[in-house]
Amino acid sequence: MALLVSKTQSGREYKVKDLSLADFGRLEIDLAEVEMPGLISCRTEFGPTQPLAGAKITGSLHMTIQTAVLIETLTALGAQIRWCSCNIFSTQDHAAAAIARDSAAVFAWKGETLEEYWWCTEKALNWGPDGGPDLIIDDGGDATLLVHEGVKAEEEYERSGKVPDPNETDNVEFKVVLGIIRDGLVGDPRKYRRMKERLVGVSEETTTGVKRLYQMMTNGTLLFPAININDSVTKSKFDNLYGCRHSLPDGLMRATDVMIAGKIAVVCGYGDVGKGCAAALKRAGARVIVTEADPICALQALMEGIQVLTLEDVISEADIFVTATGNKNIIMVPHMKKMKNNAIVCNIGHFDNEIDMQGLEAYPGIKRVTIKPQTDRWIFPETQNGIIVLAEGRLINLGCATGHPSFVMSCSFTNQVIAQIELWKERNTGRYEKKVYVLPKHLDEKVAALHLEKLGAKLTKLTLAQAAYINVPAEGPYKPPTYRY
């Protein structure tokens, strides 16, 4: 695979689709900044003290216009940045071009192959012989995974001389990961261990990565501290719930031009993501049905007037299927074979684990017709019926559209900035062990407060007597740690 790194006139590395798109990207970044008050407030509040001075940060997170505002907030606070996307389809090429030209090292373009994707991840982690990064911002845990798998392989190589064998796994993507690590071992058998020794910590954006982090903490293999951004209220509710209300219909319309009104739409899962999707589809006029394993979530759906059934109950009737569970193996090939002609299948939940794309691709005699990028019709030989799969089973909101609105992402990304400052500030104090932490509630409330003025809100102030009556400080936090939003 011949991929070449380019350099700006100042010597900063990059690999993007087209650097000439930078002016267009800059115009959209300027627009997004107005809609991202949390990040701009971070620049105003923290910029003068440069709390991230000296920090080398690797980001593995969708390289969009909104992410560009995050990157430039981090650089405004003193950090140096190397960035890649966490999804082969989610990069907005004009955003990547603007950042590569103006702000940070970027390795991302829309439509990467898996080999290119992991090459980009390795480049974002590679700060040269000094062994950086100091910090990681991750979305889905891929950068964190590469470091951990790299360390494990180096230790085994030193112990036994064994190198990773991609043929030992059936997972197509993990084959690529093992190949990347194997190819680098002989030339530099301590690269990932130098990274481990330098890394202060990671802040993780989403469900997939958080799940991996807790698993590693539980089995004692987590190599550095981690802050779980996903379970901040201002991330989980605002990003997952409100963001999906806007971005799911956008992705469906851009990909298929479908009229949602009158359709039967099945949402698999009724967590925050599923709630947002169900609300959007219902508002657009669809008859929404939810599949759910959790009785509490099922009851919540029913109380919103949404029917709860199994996938098998509705598989041959529905027009649109949306997976939003955060789990795996939700819609499998036997399900897809039973769907009506031109049923739409898409995912907005757990990266590419929810829809059985590997089984679909391997189905004997199946025909794939690409209508346009990220919109494919898969025709079964027995019936000649086809289903329309969007973004190859990956996130529809980023693969087929432009992701969540800037204001929603401001809430999520402000958590990232605060987490990175916290990890860097406490790097020598021992406060954070090799465990997974969540930001305290007063910081969650601060993130919310930073966005209120933009919406014209004025908060009521509690009197001391009122605060004492509900047993909270008058200045907050206003809910106990046990409160469930």
Side-chain angles (χ1 to χ4, degrees):
M1 180 176 59
L3 290 171
L4 301 177
V5 172
S6 300
K7 290 187 177 182
T8 63
Q9 289 184 344
S10 63
R12 187 168 52 243
E13 293 184 331
Y14 70 92
K15 175 66 176 175
V16 299
K17 184 162 286 186
D18 185 354
L19 199 64
S20 71
L21 297 171
D23 285 342
F24 174 33
R26 179 53 53 190
L27 291 172
E28 289 221 301
I29 291 168
D30 291 343
L31 287 176
E33 286 181 349
V34 179
E35 286 295 306
M36 302 188 83
L39 291 182
I40 303 308
S41 294
C42 285
R43 298 182 193 181
T44 302
E45 180 172 343
F46 302 121
T49 59
Q50 294 288 281
L52 292 174
K56 295 179 177 179
I57 300 175
T58 286
S60 173
L61 193 155
H62 310 285
M63 186 56 253
T64 64
I65 289 294
Q66 292 72 34
T67 302
V69 182
L70 168 61
I71 290 170
E72 295 193 332
T73 300
L74 296 167
T75 59
L77 305 189
Q80 300 176 58
I81 305 291
R82 291 175 76 85
W83 208 270
C84 63
S85 184
C86 61
N87 185 297
I88 62 174
F89 295 134
S90 65
T91 297
Q92 295 170 6
D93 288 317
H94 59 317
I99 292 300
R101 185 191 66 184
D102 299 342
S103 307
V106 178
F107 309 91
W109 57 94
K110 190 175 183 71
E112 298 161 358
T113 64
L114 286 178
E115 289 79 9
E116 290 168 341
Y117 170 82
W118 285 102
W119 178 89
C120 289
T121 305
E122 193 277 332
K123 289 298 177 189
L125 283 166
N126 189 353
W127 288 80
D130 291 339
D134 301 301
L135 294 159
I136 294 174
I137 292 178
D138 224 343
D139 186 343
D142 280 353
T144 303
L145 179 143
L146 187 55
V147 174
H148 279 74
E149 291 297 329
V151 168
K152 184 164 66 174
E154 288 176 358
E155 290 174 346
E156 180 60 37
Y157 180 66
E158 186 173 276
R159 184 166 49 247
S160 68
K162 181 182 177 182
V163 299
D165 182 2
N167 293 320
E168 290 181 352
T169 177
D170 293 329
N171 185 294
V172 174
E173 193 158 0
F174 197 54
K175 285 179 183 288
V176 180
V177 173
L178 294 179
I180 289 262
I181 296 170
R182 176 201 60 198
D183 294 346
L185 259 179
V186 177
D188 189 353
R190 290 196 57 84
K191 178 174 70 175
Y192 291 105
R193 281 177 286 181
R194 287 198 304 274
M195 289 184 194
K196 176 199 73 170
E197 289 157 7
R198 180 165 182 147
L199 269 162
V200 170
V202 59
S203 53
E204 170 56 51
E205 179 82 4
T206 197
T207 309
T208 310
V210 165
K211 177 176 69 70
R212 289 176 179 174
L213 289 170
Y214 280 116
Q215 287 173 341
M216 288 188 287
M217 182 181 74
T218 300
N219 63 29
T221 60
L222 186 62
L223 296 176
F224 37 78
I227 293 182
N228 164 10
I229 295 301
N230 188 62
D231 289 323
S232 296
V233 177
T234 42
K235 196 282 179 185
S236 62
K237 292 293 182 185
F238 287 76
D239 185 338
N240 296 337
L241 177 58
Y242 301 118
C244 289
R245 286 184 181 180
H246 293 273
S247 61
L248 174 67
D250 187 24
L252 284 169
M253 287 296 297
R254 288 174 186 246
T256 65
D257 197 33
V258 64
M259 185 176 77
I260 296 171
K263 299 293 193 298
I264 299 175
V266 176
V267 177
C268 301
Y270 201 68
D272 288 335
V273 172
K275 289 174 187 174
C277 294
L281 293 165
K282 192 174 180 182
R283 185 173 58 195
R287 174 188 160 197
V288 180
I289 298 169
V290 161
T291 73
E292 184 52 70
D294 185 329
I296 293 176
C297 292
L299 184 58
Q300 289 174 333
L302 291 167
M303 297 299 285
E304 293 295 327
I306 299 171
Q307 193 172 17
V308 180
L309 297 171
T310 69
L311 192 57
E312 288 72 20
D313 290 327
V314 294
I315 199 68
S316 61
E317 301 175 31
D319 305 286
I320 301 168
F321 295 86
V322 182
T323 57
T325 69
N327 211 316
K328 67 176 183 177
N329 300 343
I330 305 304
I331 294 181
M332 306 301 288
V333 169
H335 294 126
M336 291 184 264
K337 284 178 64 179
K338 295 177 183 178
M339 291 177 182
K340 64 168 61 174
N341 189 44
N342 280 4
I344 297 168
V345 180
C346 62
N347 169 47
I348 198 168
H350 191 173
F351 282 51
D352 58 345
N353 286 9
E354 303 212 21
I355 299 169
D356 183 18
M357 293 304 300
Q358 193 167 340
L360 192 63
E361 292 164 1
Y363 190 84
I366 199 158
K367 182 179 179 182
R368 176 182 181 177
V369 178
T370 298
I371 299 168
K372 58 183 174 180
Q374 288 82 65
T375 302
D376 297 298
R377 187 167 183 260
W378 295 80
I379 303 168
F380 287 97
E382 299 91 345
T383 62
Q384 293 303 302
N385 282 349
I387 59 166
I388 298 171
V389 180
L390 305 183
E392 297 183 12
R394 295 173 181 265
L395 297 173
I396 178 184
N397 58 324
L398 287 147
C400 298
T402 58
H404 295 341
S406 295
F407 189 89
V408 168
M409 294 314 302
S410 180
C411 296
S412 180
F413 288 167
T414 301
N415 278 283
Q416 285 284 13
V417 172
I418 290 173
Q420 291 284 299
I421 292 173
E422 179 71 6
L423 287 168
W424 189 238
K425 179 182 70 174
E426 302 292 342
R427 64 190 182 278
N428 296 319
T429 67
R431 177 176 179 179
Y432 291 105
E433 303 175 37
K434 295 174 184 177
K435 297 179 180 179
V436 185
Y437 300 84
V438 293
L439 289 173
K441 198 167 291 292
H442 75 276
L443 291 180
D444 224 344
E445 291 181 357
K446 179 178 178 63
V447 171
L450 289 172
H451 292 81
L452 295 180
E453 184 179 355
K454 175 70 178 177
L455 298 178
K458 294 183 179 179
L459 288 179
T460 299
K461 293 185 178 180
L462 294 181
T463 66
L464 292 177
Q466 288 171 327
Y469 184 73
I470 59 174
N471 196 30
V472 300
E475 69 281 0
Y478 297 100
K479 299 289 190 295
T482 54
Y483 184 82
R484 298 175 67 87
Y485 286 85

